[in-house]
Amino acid sequence: MPAAIPFPNLSPELFSISVGGFDFALRWYALAYIAGILLGWRMALLTIRRARLWPGDHAPMSGEQLEGLMTWIIIGIVAGGRLGYVLFYQPAYYLQNPAEILLLWQGGMAFHGGFLGVVIAGGLYLWRQKIPLMQAGDLMALATPPGLLFGRLANFVNAELWGRPSDAPWAVIFPGPGAQDCAGPEGLVELGELLLCARHPSQLYEAAMEGLILGGLVLWLAWRRGALKAPGRVMGVFFAGYATARIIVELFRQADPQFITPDNPLGHVLSLGPSVGLSMGQILSLPMLAVGCALIVLSRRPAA
């Protein structure tokens, strides 16, 4: 049988303390959000301080306006990410258990919901401050990949959102009954006297594609190729790049359990034929891909 990599001895909690009978823990997932937001803010601040990168050598906002925008963005990420998960992935469950919508510490966030939350919350702030939408969108796109990188690494530490069973030599034996439920022979490995299920570390695929590669690309375009002087281009590349990466990774990522049935083991939400179809993540990424391509085309038009 093929070899595989045992899951490292990692705890989802960085540390925990007990105060008055209550347990408080700092989880890697929360730390990932904090680190991603702080690094993204720092990158955005350095970028607006380089006036030469922007049209007319003038940045679209001040440092104070950036801090205000970050507050609205954080609200959009949390509210939109949670509501997106509720509406896109488990509406029936939360309709029966509405009080659990507020239990953020139990997990359940959706990128596409967080994206819509940022668009709405950030758009309101930009409109009130009379900040150019396209240029601000470019700045937010530039600052987003660090959060994606740290978030996907935290998913790996939490042993969640793992991939489909795999015989690849880099497949990982994730803990837990769900991860160890191999429907067929693919991914089964012998470890001593145990027969275990190995899976694609799809969280690491996403961290590399959405965080490192896409982040490096938009930074290079903005700082070395003058892309910020064409409003909408960096944002378009980010949208199209994220959507493409997500569509590819969904081919290796295990579908959410509510979409998996005996007749639909791959969890396709839209069936295109036997064993061929689209997952929820792919369906939600298609409009993002279209918008990204449109922004890139529009950014190439000469200014009026």
Side-chain angles (χ1 to χ4, degrees):
M1 286 192 177
I5 302 173
F7 187 76
N9 185 22
L10 298 172
S11 171
E13 296 179 357
L14 185 60
F15 67 83
S16 61
I17 58 175
S18 296
V19 178
F22 293 94
D23 294 328
F24 299 91
L26 177 60
R27 300 176 64 88
W28 286 106
Y29 199 69
L31 188 62
Y33 266 82
I34 296 170
I37 289 171
L38 289 177
L39 183 55
W41 166 77
R42 184 63 181 172
M43 289 172 56
L45 185 61
L46 290 174
T47 303
I48 62 173
R49 286 177 176 174
R50 302 296 195 279
R52 61 180 176 78
L53 297 175
W54 299 94
D57 295 336
H58 181 73
M61 68 183 76
S62 66
E64 291 183 356
Q65 288 175 317
L66 177 61
E67 291 181 5
L69 176 60
M70 290 302 298
T71 300
W72 284 68
I73 285 176
I74 292 171
I75 295 173
I77 290 173
V78 176
R82 184 59 170 175
L83 290 177
Y85 179 80
V86 169
L87 296 175
F88 298 151
Y89 292 96
Q90 295 205 46
Y93 175 82
Y94 285 104
L95 184 62
Q96 296 177 356
N97 303 275
E100 294 189 21
I101 294 176
L102 301 178
L103 303 183
L104 300 179
W105 55 90
Q106 292 187 2
M109 299 284 283
F111 170 82
H112 294 92
F115 165 73
L116 290 175
V118 168
V119 169
I120 295 172
L124 287 173
Y125 178 81
L126 297 173
W127 174 73
R128 292 178 60 183
Q129 294 290 317
K130 296 180 172 59
I131 297 173
L133 293 178
M134 285 294 187
Q135 295 180 42
D138 287 337
L139 187 64
M140 288 189 286
L142 187 71
T144 298
L148 297 175
L149 170 62
F150 293 139
R152 295 311 181 189
L153 291 177
N155 289 146
F156 180 81
V157 172
N158 289 348
E160 62 187 4
L161 303 183
W162 18 259
R164 296 175 183 175
S166 171
D167 294 330
W170 59 85
V172 175
I173 303 172
F174 289 97
Q180 287 305 305
D181 183 16
C182 265
E186 186 177 11
L188 291 178
V189 296
E190 289 183 356
L191 190 63
E193 298 181 355
L194 299 176
L195 190 61
L196 301 174
C197 182
R199 295 178 176 274
H200 283 287
S202 55
Q203 316 96 321
L204 301 184
Y205 300 170
E206 291 191 78
M209 296 178 69
E210 301 166 4
L212 291 178
I213 298 174
L214 183 56
L217 175 60
V218 294
L219 269 176
W220 177 72
L221 289 172
W223 283 65
R224 293 286 182 254
R225 303 298 296 175
L228 291 174
K229 289 186 177 293
R233 182 169 301 174
V234 171
M235 181 168 48
V237 170
F238 172 78
F239 286 177
Y242 175 87
T244 300
R246 183 63 182 268
I247 289 171
I248 293 172
V249 171
E250 287 284 321
L251 299 175
F252 305 96
R253 180 172 165 174
Q254 181 77 2
D256 291 275
Q258 63 270 24
F259 300 127
I260 298 176
T261 65
D263 296 331
N264 185 23
L266 297 180
H268 291 146
V269 176
L270 177 62
S271 178
L272 302 177
S275 301
V276 179
L278 297 176
S279 69
M280 178 60 77
Q282 290 172 322
I283 290 174
L284 295 175
S285 295
L286 289 175
M288 196 174 183
L289 177 60
V291 171
C293 292
L295 286 172
I296 293 172
V297 171
L298 290 174
S299 73
R300 298 178 64 87
R301 299 174 61 181

